[in-house]
Each structure stands twice: as C-alpha cells, then as structure tokens.
Amino acid sequence: MRKFDTLLIANRGEIACRIIRTARDLGLRAVAVYSDADADALHVSMADEAHRIGPASAADSYLNVDAILAAAKASGAGAIHPGYGFLSENADFARAVERAGLVFVGPSAEAIEIMGDKAIAKAHMLDAGVPCVPGYQGDDQADATLLAHARNIGVPLMVKAAAGGGGKGMRLVSKLDDLPEALTLARAEASAAFGNDTLILERAVQNARHIEVQVFADHAGNTIALGERDCSVQRRHQKVIEEAPAPGMTQTLRKRMERAAIAAAQSVDYVGAGTVEFLLDENGEDFYFLEMNTRLQVEHPVTEMVTGLDLVALQITVAQGKPLPVSQEDVTLTGHAIEVRLYAEAPGNGFLPSIGKIYKFEMDNNIRIDTGVRSGDEVSPHYDPMLAKLIAHGDTRDEALRALTQALDNTAVLGVTTNLPFLRDLLDHAEVQNGTATTSFLDDTYPEGPPSPELKPQTVALAAALLLRSENAVAQAQSLLRDTSLAGFSSDGGLPIPLDLSLDGDLHKLTAAGVGTDHITVSGDGWSHTSSNDLRFDGHRTTAHHAPDGMGGLYLQAAGHHLHVTRAQPWATTDAAANGALTAPMPGLLVALNVAAGDTVKKGDTLAVLEAMKMQHQLTAAADGVVAALHVAAGQQLSKGALILTMEDPT
C-alpha cells in the first residue's frame, strides 16, 4: 500500500458525486470518467478533471477496463475507487488495477472472488460455521438436476444468480411447474448483468427480515462491525427503505450477528468496507447468511448518520495502508436514520423505468440528499434509474420518520415519472410505522402492484388553471392578447371558454371562466372549482409543483400524480391496448417472443420479454385472446411504443 493524492472514481451518478465530496474533504484530486451519455452529468462537473471512456453503452464505457485504466494513467491517478455496481465486485478488475501499479480502494481480488460467487461463498461460510439457508450450489447446472434438487428443497424456493446481486437474476418460485421459466429468466438476467449464468437454489425463508451488518477491516487484520441495517422493505429483491439500527434489535442478537459477520470477513482476510447480509427468521432468533457485498453499499449513509463516521474516508484511509482510526469499543449508535431510494420509474405500471428530461428537480435541504442529477438532466435508458437517496436522522425512529415524510412532501421531480408518491404512501403504512415489515411486506400489500391514485376533479381543475395562467403569461409577454388565436383571454376574464385538456394523453372537455383574472373557475361534468393565483382552491390552500415543458404545456406534480398537461391535439388517437395490441412500454432489446401467430393465450401469460436497464421485463397478456400476428422478431432493439404483436378475441 502507498499514499496517493489523486483518486479516479470508476463510476457515475450519485455514488460518484458522493465519493468526490469526500475526496475533496481529504485534499485529494478527484478524477471522473464518463460515457457519451454522461458528458454533461453532475459528477463530471464536480470533479477536478474528467475523461471520456466510451459510448453510452455500459459495456463500452463503465465496464471497459482498458479505457478506465488509460484514464487513470492520463490523469496521474494513484488509486481507483469503484463505487458500487459496474466493476465494483469484479475480481479481474481489481487485479488489473493492481497490475497497473495503482491502489484498488476495496478488498483483495481473492476476497471478491470468493464472496462474489454465491455458490462458493455459501460453501465457504458453511466451512467457517456461519449459519446458511439450506439449498443447492453445485456445478451441475442442467435443468433436470436443478429440478431434482428443487423437489428436495421444497417450495417456495429462491432461484439466484451465483455471481450476482442487486436483485438481478433472482426469482421466487412458489410452484415447481414455474421453475423452468424462472430458470430461463434468471439465467438471461445473470448473463446480461454479470456475464455468468450459473444459478443456485435456496429455501425461501418466509416472513423474514433482511438484516445486514456493516464491517470494516484494515491490513493489520483489525476487523470491526458498525452496527446493522434493516432492509426488509424491498421489491424484486431491490431495497426500497433502509434504516439503522434495525427496529426491535436486542443487544444480544446484535452481538451474535456482528460476531458472525466479523467471522465471515476474517475467513477471507477481508480489507476495507463490506456488508454481510442475513435473513432473520420470523421467530426473531435464527438468522442465515445471505451474501457478502464486497463494496460500499447503496444504503451506507444510514450507518454514517448513526455512527458519525464517513465510510468513504475510512475506505481511503485503509487503502493507503493506515490502520483503522476506530476500535470496536469506539463504535456507538446514536439516534435513528432512515433512507429511501428515489427512482425514475412508474409504480402503477409495473415499476417500468421512466426516461426523459428532468424539467425540475427540487429536494428538501433539511435532510441529507445524495444525488447525481439536477434540473435539466436527462434520464438515460442505459443505466440504473435511481435519481437520489433521501436520508433522515432523528433522536428517535419516530423523529426520523417525520423528517423523512416532510422531506418527501417537499420534493419535486418533474418531467419523468418517479416512485415519489409510492414512497410517501409507504411511510404511512402501519408495518413501516411500527418497524415490523418483512421481506414479503410489499408483495402482501400490493399483490397486483401499487394502484394508480384516483384522478379527482380538483386535480384536473388545478391542471387547467395552471396551464391557462401559463398561456396568459406568455401571451402578455409577447403582447399577443389581441391575436385571434387567443380568443377568450382578457383582463376582465371575459366569457366562459371551452377547454379541451390533455392529461398524459387523456382528453378532458372543460370550460373555464375568469381567465386573465386572479380567480379562474374550471368546470367539468357535474363539478366546478375555483382557484386563485396563490393556489387556493375553493378557499383552501393546496400544494403543487409545476414546470413548463418548453412546448406550451407543463408538467404537474400534485395529489400523488405526475401529469403532462397540454391542450388536447386536434388529431384522433388510438388506444393500442384497447385494440388488442402489445407495444414496447420503453426502449429495450426484445430477448424473447413466447408465442406464435394463432396461439391462444390467457390473461397474465407472458407473451414477450424485454430487456431494459439491465433487467428482464415480462410483457403479459391483458386479457384472454388469440395471437393474430407478430410484427417483430426476438433479438430486435425496440423503441418505446413499437408494435410487437396484435391480438383478437378468442370467440
């Protein structure tokens, strides 16, 4: 190990920004890398210098080892921090960094290799005496072999990518008949995300809690635990809410889990920051090794908030060969911290990622915000759609929850659909409020997925009033109030005017009176609401965020909705789903077509599989029917809205 004064961050987004901040605090020069899609990204502007490493595709840029090492050489960097994701748990990358004479800010390649393969790691943990979930992690990957072991394990069981994490390549199987499809999908995701389609099987521990322990070790063999985090609220095995310490954790159980985590780390001579994840049985006593993440975790801020330690600073200290500046006796947990992950995705539409321009990005400054985006940035289809992490701390768990709730209420993201209303709704659920949520909480609460909130007349009226005021302001600025195309606008409000409003493409036929005055009254089918310039509706104050779209319309965030508001276009539109068509919900690679023309399908059957943002999305039948025609073939790259197949009534 040797000291270094320049650090290259081999990552992007919020984690790159977060590492740059600490590097600066430590007096280090920070070097960023970027793809063509990220040329104007926040992490690029924050760094002391930045180097292009390739086109938008992650495989050609953030996973391009040669390009990253070339950037390190050109910048004079003495060390590389991999962040999380991408190459952070790639043993070959760690070796390549060391061969290049640079310091890898992380554990040894050998430790990454052992813990990065779930099958090898599990066997290693069994030898070390760490409790593990019963399952199969053998070399024979034939479907028949996996099915035979699945029968012995019993259902429900988990199919997992041996080389993976982050929920990719994972499937819950409740019926053995579903295993073949789960194996196919898990292998495809694992191969795309990790270049390795080896799978393992594990008994699904029901009603469990996901508890993980943060460990840290230096080159002298000193290994400590920095408490635990509860990450039980998750969907598709991706965490949604994380907190520290775990609700209801006893000191006795904490010490047992910390000892197991330290033993796991020491068994591979671990160095740096790592997280040992466990499943805590519903009895609250038995726990099982899940995996070890040999990197900094996405949720590391909650540990920082309750320990007062900067984990990135500790990583850099250890990477320079210095001993840990804290001992186990120095570690104290103060207060409570809770984090939520803000994603560009549509919970009401199967959590499909959302891409496009962010017209407004406003965060509450009263809590910690880790982000890599800002107003005006584009959400790319090439990378994970996480926009930010919101982290609140309080003396008690209730205080932290209240602070986080208030922060979500004061957060605005306009232009792309996000999970913001979903997160806000989650914080009001009794299981979250009481700290009793298990890993099955989200599936149990939303078996069909989160419903879209009801669009109430007040929100429609608000959208109409805001659009009219925006148009009137533009007209006044351009001195076009006398233009016949703006008939109805006048300083005294004039007569009621018809207004055909489009909200995300849905037509609303309305009338509006008082346009151009301080009070606009919007009327629809059997309702009428009046708004003032200060957003009082029928005398009551309302909260809304809005921003112009640059084309005469606006984006509106209000009452749990994210809406694109425009005047309805004069041309007719067709509803593809209503007319029996399956279209691509987002840009992606069509990796599978599971039907042929003439096939009869049932509602819920998987018709096709679309790969986007490193995940496999199953496109299912909305109703019973017969496949009339296929319009594309597997292997094609599709744009959003591309016609995949058409259906006809089975009768």
Side-chain angles (χ1 to χ4, degrees):
M1 292 297 101
R2 59 184 175 81
K3 289 187 177 182
F4 48 85
D5 58 17
T6 301
L7 177 68
L8 182 141
I9 299 94
N11 218 296
R12 65 178 300 279
E14 69 85 15
I15 187 58
C17 295
R18 191 263 168 272
I19 295 168
I20 289 170
R21 284 193 294 270
T22 287
R24 287 272 186 77
D25 290 344
L26 296 177
L28 302 177
R29 289 181 65 252
V31 178
V33 294
Y34 64 92
S35 70
D36 289 344
D38 280 341
D40 298 319
L42 181 59
H43 75 279
V44 174
S45 63
M46 286 180 61
D48 293 294
E49 63 179 273
H51 293 255
R52 178 188 178 274
I53 52 172
S57 166
D60 298 320
S61 53
Y62 296 105
L63 295 175
N64 187 334
V65 174
D66 290 341
I68 291 171
L69 292 178
K73 181 178 180 180
S75 66
I80 294 179
H81 195 307
Y84 56 71
F86 293 129
L87 294 167
S88 62
E89 293 179 285
N90 186 307
D92 289 338
F93 178 59
R95 289 192 182 96
V97 171
E98 293 170 358
R99 282 198 301 268
L102 306 174
V103 175
F104 180 74
V105 183
S108 68
E110 291 71 28
I112 294 173
E113 217 152 41
I114 293 172
M115 290 303 190
D117 186 303
K118 287 184 172 66
I120 296 173
K122 188 172 180 180
H124 197 85
M125 291 302 99
L126 287 169
D127 289 342
V130 177
C132 296
V133 180
Y136 172 74
Q137 54 273 348
D139 293 332
D140 188 343
Q141 291 287 297
D143 280 13
T145 301
L146 294 172
L147 181 58
H149 282 280
R151 290 194 184 99
N152 292 332
I153 297 168
V155 291
L157 63 83
M158 293 299 305
V159 177
K160 296 183 177 182
K168 297 178 178 65
M170 297 180 70
R171 286 292 187 278
L172 174 65
V173 176
S174 300
K175 297 183 298 183
L176 286 177
D177 288 346
D178 295 338
L179 183 61
E181 182 180 28
L183 294 176
T184 298
L185 292 170
R187 283 192 181 109
E189 277 189 4
S191 180
F194 315 114
N196 182 342
D197 65 358
T198 303
L199 303 175
I200 68 172
L201 304 177
E202 286 185 346
R203 190 186 82 205
V205 182
Q206 299 290 76
N207 299 316
R209 291 172 64 191
H210 184 125
I211 309 293
E212 59 188 32
V213 177
Q214 177 73 59
V215 294
F216 233 104
D218 61 23
H219 290 276
N222 301 308
T223 307
I224 62 174
L226 302 180
E228 79 288 343
R229 300 183 286 258
D230 189 322
C231 307
S232 300
V233 181
Q234 51 187 254
R235 65 163 196 86
R236 288 188 70 178
H237 315 292
Q238 290 185 319
K239 299 156 187 174
V240 179
I241 300 176
E242 302 110 343
E243 56 184 303
M249 176 64 67
T250 65
Q251 191 64 15
T252 299
L253 180 59
R254 174 178 292 129
K255 291 302 180 186
R256 286 175 56 210
M257 297 186 85
E258 286 183 341
R259 283 196 295 270
I262 289 173
Q266 289 179 331
S267 73
V268 292
D269 297 324
Y270 198 80
V271 173
T275 298
V276 183
E277 303 192 346
F278 299 101
L279 285 178
L280 178 63
D281 197 274
E282 59 184 327
N283 62 22
E285 290 293 330
D286 298 319
F287 58 88
Y288 306 97
F289 174 80
L290 188 59
E291 64 180 342
M292 183 176 186
N293 290 298
T294 54
R295 54 171 167 79
L296 194 68
Q297 290 281 86
V298 176
E299 59 272 21
H300 75 275
V302 294
T303 295
E304 293 184 325
M305 299 294 275
V306 297
T307 61
L309 299 171
D310 183 327
L311 299 194
V312 174
L314 288 181
Q315 283 186 298
I316 293 172
T317 295
V318 168
Q320 290 185 321
K322 300 174 184 177
L324 278 170
V326 292
S327 65
Q328 191 66 64
E329 292 71 27
D330 297 326
V331 178
T332 57
L333 307 181
T334 304
H336 201 95
I338 306 177
E339 171 183 299
V340 292
R341 303 185 186 188
L342 180 64
Y343 279 92
E345 63 184 9
N349 190 24
F351 289 94
L352 285 176
S354 175
I355 61 174
K357 182 178 178 179
I358 300 174
Y359 286 85
K360 178 183 279 190
F361 188 79
E362 289 184 355
M363 299 282 115
D364 190 320
N365 293 325
N366 293 314
I367 67 167
R368 173 174 170 175
I369 306 291
D370 283 13
T371 185
V373 299
R374 60 204 160 178
S375 297
D377 284 354
E378 293 275 345
V379 179
S380 165
H382 300 287
Y383 315 116
D384 186 276
M386 189 173 74
L387 303 179
K389 302 179 303 195
L390 289 78
I391 312 104
H393 180 269
D395 291 338
T396 66
R397 186 172 185 273
D398 286 344
E399 285 185 15
L401 270 173
R402 284 196 297 271
L404 185 56
T405 298
Q406 184 177 25
L408 288 174
D409 287 338
N410 295 331
T411 294
V413 184
L414 298 173
V416 292
T417 303
T418 72
N419 65 340
L420 180 60
F422 171 64
L423 295 174
R424 180 62 184 83
D425 181 63
L426 280 182
L427 295 187
D428 285 338
H429 276 270
E431 290 88 341
V432 175
Q433 288 282 323
N434 299 331
T436 57
T438 69
T439 54
S440 63
F441 162 65
L442 283 184
D443 289 336
D444 294 342
T445 305
Y446 304 107
E448 302 297 326
S452 297
E454 178 188 357
L455 183 60
K456 296 182 178 180
Q458 293 92 326
T459 305
V460 176
L462 172 64
L466 288 171
L467 181 64
L468 289 169
R469 287 197 171 94
S470 175
E471 290 178 339
N472 197 50
V474 171
Q476 288 179 334
Q478 296 178 349
S479 301
L480 293 176
L481 284 176
R482 299 299 181 186
D483 193 301
T484 56
S485 66
L486 292 169
F489 288 95
S490 66
S491 60
D492 62 358
L495 298 173
I497 62 170
L499 173 63
D500 289 349
L501 191 72
S502 172
L503 298 180
D504 287 347
D506 293 334
L507 175 64
H508 296 263
K509 298 188 78 66
L510 312 169
T511 60
V515 177
T517 72
D518 290 343
H519 293 81
I520 296 178
T521 299
V522 179
S523 302
D525 185 10
W527 57 263
S528 182
H529 294 287
T530 300
S531 73
S532 60
N533 284 335
D534 62 355
L535 291 184
R536 291 186 185 275
F537 256 75
D538 302 329
H540 299 286
R541 178 74 174 171
T542 188
T543 300
H545 301 275
H546 55 95
D549 66 1
M551 298 176 290
L554 57 87
Y555 287 98
L556 170 64
Q557 179 181 303
H561 292 274
H562 177 274
L563 301 168
H564 189 204
V565 185
T566 63
R567 284 184 178 263
Q569 300 299 329
W571 53 83
T573 60
T574 58
D575 185 336
N579 286 282
L582 178 70
T583 59
M586 62 181 301
L589 177 68
L590 187 67
V591 296
L593 264 175
N594 296 349
V595 292
D599 285 356
T600 299
V601 299
K602 296 291 185 182
K603 179 181 179 180
D605 286 353
T606 300
L607 304 179
V609 180
L610 188 73
E611 181 177 293
M613 292 183 170
K614 303 181 184 179
M615 298 293 285
Q616 303 267 329
H617 302 280
Q618 294 170 263
L619 308 183
T620 59
D624 297 351
V626 175
V627 179
L630 302 180
H631 299 271
V632 292
Q636 286 186 238
Q637 187 73 32
L638 304 183
S639 59
K640 181 179 180 180
L643 182 62
I644 298 173
L645 58 84
T646 48
M647 302 275 293
E648 59 187 11
D649 194 291
T651 59

